[in-house]
Amino acid sequence: MIKIINGGMQTSIQGLGRHGFQKFGVPVSGAMDWLSLALANLLVGNEHTETALEFAFVGCTIRFEQRAFFAICGGDFELLFDGEPIEMNHAYCAKNGNILEIGAARQGCRGYCAIGGGFDIADVLGGCDTYIKGGFGGHDGRALRQGDALRLRAPQSFLLNMPQRKIQRERLPLRKSLRVILGPQDDLFSVHGIHTFLSRQYTILPESDRMGYRTRGMNIEYAANSDGNIISDGVAMGSIQVASGQPLIMMADRQTTGGYAKIATIISADLPLAAQCKPDDTVFFEQVSIESAQALRQKQLRLLQDLECEINRL
Amino acid sequence: MNCNVRFLPCGDCAVTAEFGNAICEDINTAVHNFALAVESLKHAAICEVVPTYRSATVYYFPELISYSAIIEILSCCAKNLNSSLQSSKTIKIPVLYGGAYGEDLAYVAAHNGITEQDVIAIHSGRDYRVFMLGFTPGFPYLGGMDSRIATPRRAQPRVKIAAGSVGIAGEQTGIYPISSPGGWQLIGRTPLVLFDPLAQNPILIKAGEKIRFVPIDEAEYNEILRGARND
């Protein structure tokens, strides 16, 4: 069991998303930064898909009520374990009574605390992810708060190779360039509009959350025969809708369908970077081909596999 | 029926198969039959299919299949589609019209120069195609409402509309699956639950099906509510 002493800004249980129900209007939800979730799980011997605590901007404080292993990956957060600073991207062993304080983000804004063996949570509609707006999934369908008690499913009493359970992560780039594939409705934008989108910077606005990010920058021009509205269709994670000439980046809790023209979609390999973008950050969009995007994704998945081998190497 | 289909990439993990650019039953039929064909492949590389008004978005795992390969598979599925809906289930939705449960029924009637009874007869007098679900879990986008009862949204939206409320907004009719603010003209309420994530059958109305509104009285409304609570 772990007890929540302080819920932080928005801490919720997330896995890799609830799949198969978008056709019923049920959002995918799940981790904003799938790579950091997978890495944290790897460090504590979990499957990539195991649910973890996702926190944002300011993390939570938890008390361990039994022996368990944990690791935190994501942006760079201030971490105190029984008052002593500890590191991101590193597996640790906690015992009954230990207190973990996840503080403010120094870099990025989202992080994941994975616990070895995962949580004992019933799934709802095939997933344990919390859909906060809908009020279901995870722990009571809501963000965690003081007093919440979470049962651990299968915490290990020991983990092999503890010295190997740490990762060196690259610092977040200063210039946040998000690679995109144009479309599905890039034909509803003028040549000038597309050029603007791919050459100008856009600032993330405070009205941003797990559903999506509002951004502000130079107006993106629609094609002569378009006003930016379309007959509502499917919206993938990382889709960039353009409403009133400004980009809206669709994220984990986005609605399953939408009626604004989508100029481009962020590639899956860059979703982790997008997830670490916060209000006042500026971003750029860079066009790549589908083949490049898929190659980049393969590279990331191979990295995960290699790390897993490294960690488990005796 | 051979539909001209366009394949539009949505990033590297999804592709939208677009069958047209209008809200009409023929195009939507192609969408649903296509979605069924793709789902029935039970392909390991395909995650899910989301049918909408005039297109279906297919989510796939690019580490298991390349873009060109998925396009080939989807192209096959888009050929020789049936011109009628495979599943044409009609779901009856009992509705208690008017009074406290449909506060805007009188307004809708007056706006269209007909009686409240006329509105009810017209609204419940035909089947509605469920073009797609979206906006919120279980929310059905219905097509084909009679223009004789079309009424613009309320100038001032309500802060809270009860779940199950049946309303009209412009040329559209729909049902609120959850309590929410909104500007629809409310003409009645159904005691049925459209979405319950914890139920055996979480979704009452699915895309590609049809619904028919059936007028009921307050006694039947309460009976259905009581029955639902006892389940």
Side-chain angles (χ1 to χ4, degrees):
Chain A
M1 181 95 81
I2 61 165
K3 265 270 179 59
I4 306 295
I5 308 297
N6 185 322
M9 266 200 73
Q10 191 184 67
T11 303
S12 62
I13 293 195
Q14 301 293 346
L16 283 183
R18 178 175 284 105
H19 298 285
F21 294 87
Q22 285 189 79
K23 65 184 180 195
F24 300 132
V26 180
V28 177
S29 300
M32 292 280 275
D33 177 351
W34 65 268
L35 184 59
S36 293
L37 170 69
L39 288 169
N41 275 325
L42 231 174
L43 287 169
V44 294
N46 287 346
E47 292 295 318
H48 299 171
T49 52
E50 191 61 72
T51 50
L53 300 179
E54 175 186 87
F55 46 90
F57 303 102
V58 177
C60 52
T61 299
I62 68 184
R63 184 175 65 231
F64 287 85
E65 313 240 302
Q66 66 186 107
R67 184 180 170 85
F69 291 86
F70 68 91
I72 297 157
C73 296
D76 183 21
F77 282 80
E78 285 173 2
L79 303 174
L80 291 176
F81 187 53
D82 271 3
E84 293 298 317
I86 56 169
E87 286 168 31
M88 295 282 305
N89 309 311
H90 198 299
Y92 293 96
C93 180
K95 50 190 201 302
N96 188 7
N98 282 155
I99 298 200
L100 170 66
E101 287 171 73
I102 303 171
R106 291 182 283 234
Q107 275 265 299
C109 59
R110 286 187 172 83
Y112 300 85
C113 177
I115 300 196
F119 295 101
D120 185 9
I121 300 242
D123 68 19
V124 174
L125 289 179
C128 295
D129 315 83
T130 314
Y131 176 36
I132 295 174
K133 190 150 185 255
F136 62 85
H139 181 80
D140 283 353
R142 58 171 172 74
L144 299 176
R145 53 184 188 232
Q146 179 177 41
D148 284 340
L150 302 177
R151 264 203 309 274
L152 303 182
R153 198 178 70 244
Q156 309 99 326
S157 40
F158 68 89
L159 256 188
L160 288 173
N161 298 345
M162 279 306 280
Q164 279 148 245
R165 291 180 183 276
K166 54 185 173 210
I167 301 169
Q168 192 73 340
R169 290 213 62 193
E170 282 166 20
R171 281 184 71 78
L172 286 170
L174 273 172
R175 183 192 160 98
K176 296 180 174 64
S177 191
L178 299 169
R179 287 164 297 193
V180 302
I181 290 166
L182 288 187
Q185 281 96 31
D186 50 318
D187 58 346
L188 296 184
F189 296 87
S190 67
V191 169
H192 178 65
I194 296 197
H195 178 78
T196 306
F197 171 69
L198 294 175
S199 60
R200 296 288 172 164
Q201 69 181 34
Y202 289 85
T203 305
I204 311 277
L205 295 174
E207 302 80 42
S208 299
D209 57 19
R210 277 181 50 87
M211 226 178 108
Y213 302 162
R214 293 195 88 94
T215 74
R216 187 189 56 228
M218 183 154 287
N219 185 73
I220 295 168
E221 188 184 71
Y222 299 109
N225 62 343
S226 171
D227 63 357
N229 289 309
I230 59 165
I231 296 172
S232 294
D233 69 357
V235 181
M237 173 111 164
S239 283
I240 302 169
Q241 295 188 336
V242 178
S244 307
Q246 304 286 278
L248 295 171
I249 305 175
M250 301 286 101
M251 298 297 280
D253 285 347
R254 70 200 178 281
Q255 289 175 339
T256 55
T257 59
Y260 294 118
K262 295 176 284 300
I263 192 168
T265 313
I266 298 172
I267 68 173
S268 61
D270 279 356
L271 288 174
L273 176 57
Q276 298 299 340
C277 290
K278 56 193 188 303
D280 286 345
D281 280 350
T282 52
V283 298
F284 294 85
F285 301 106
E286 183 193 325
Q287 181 185 6
V288 297
S289 66
I290 300 180
E291 291 72 27
S292 307
Q294 295 187 335
L296 285 162
R297 182 189 169 89
Q298 290 285 57
K299 195 165 153 205
Q300 258 175 358
L301 292 174
R302 257 197 314 269
L303 166 82
L304 274 175
Q305 275 172 345
D306 290 345
L307 273 167
E308 197 161 12
C309 287
E310 258 308 299
I311 286 171
N312 293 315
R313 185 171 47 86
L314 290 168
Chain B
M1 172 173 85
N2 248 328
C3 245
N4 284 330
V5 60
R6 291 204 301 160
F7 292 108
L8 310 168
C10 305
D12 56 310
C13 300
V15 57
T16 290
E18 194 179 85
F19 291 85
N21 195 19
I23 297 180
C24 83
E25 296 208 348
D26 284 347
I27 294 177
N28 190 249
T29 295
V31 169
H32 287 297
N33 287 337
F34 169 79
L36 279 168
V38 176
E39 281 178 334
S40 62
L41 294 174
K42 296 200 192 309
H43 199 295
I46 292 176
C47 179
E48 64 183 306
V49 187
V50 183
T52 59
Y53 277 113
R54 45 77 185 240
S55 65
T57 300
V58 180
Y59 293 84
Y60 63 97
F61 301 110
E63 59 270 26
L64 298 181
I65 194 168
S66 69
Y67 181 70
S68 48
I70 192 105
I71 296 299
E72 238 186 84
I73 290 176
L74 298 183
S75 298
C76 281
C77 289
K79 287 194 167 76
N80 302 316
L81 294 171
N82 227 302
S83 55
S84 54
L85 272 180
Q86 297 287 66
S87 68
S88 38
K89 206 169 128 185
T90 303
I91 300 175
K92 290 193 164 59
I93 306 288
V95 179
L96 174 53
Y97 284 97
Y101 296 85
E103 290 177 18
D104 302 315
L105 182 61
Y107 179 82
V108 169
H111 178 82
N112 288 288
I114 56 180
T115 67
E116 288 184 30
Q117 279 313 308
D118 289 335
V119 176
I120 296 171
I122 293 169
H123 189 258
S124 62
R126 55 159 299 165
D127 289 349
Y128 295 89
R129 155 87 63 114
V130 182
F131 278 86
M132 69 180 201
L133 301 185
F135 169 61
T136 191
F139 179 83
Y141 283 80
L142 305 175
M145 189 184 78
D146 196 311
S147 55
R148 287 177 291 164
I149 54 175
T151 314
R153 279 179 168 78
R154 284 167 59 87
Q156 283 282 55
R158 286 189 172 82
V159 171
K160 188 169 178 186
I161 294 186
S165 290
V166 176
I168 292 176
E171 308 267 336
Q172 299 238 295
T173 185
I175 315 169
Y176 280 83
I178 50 168
S179 166
S180 103
W184 290 46
Q185 303 285 359
L186 303 183
I187 60 172
R189 200 184 303 173
T190 179
L192 297 184
V193 172
L194 264 60
F195 173 68
D196 180 354
L198 302 174
Q200 182 87 302
N201 290 313
I203 304 278
L204 179 68
I205 302 169
K206 300 192 168 86
E209 291 174 346
K210 289 186 228 150
I211 70 168
R212 188 159 190 120
F213 296 106
V214 177
I216 57 171
D217 61 25
E218 194 150 0
E220 282 176 273
Y221 181 93
N222 289 325
E223 206 183 299
I224 295 171
L225 262 188
R226 255 196 309 274
R229 277 195 211 114
N230 290 334
D231 275 340

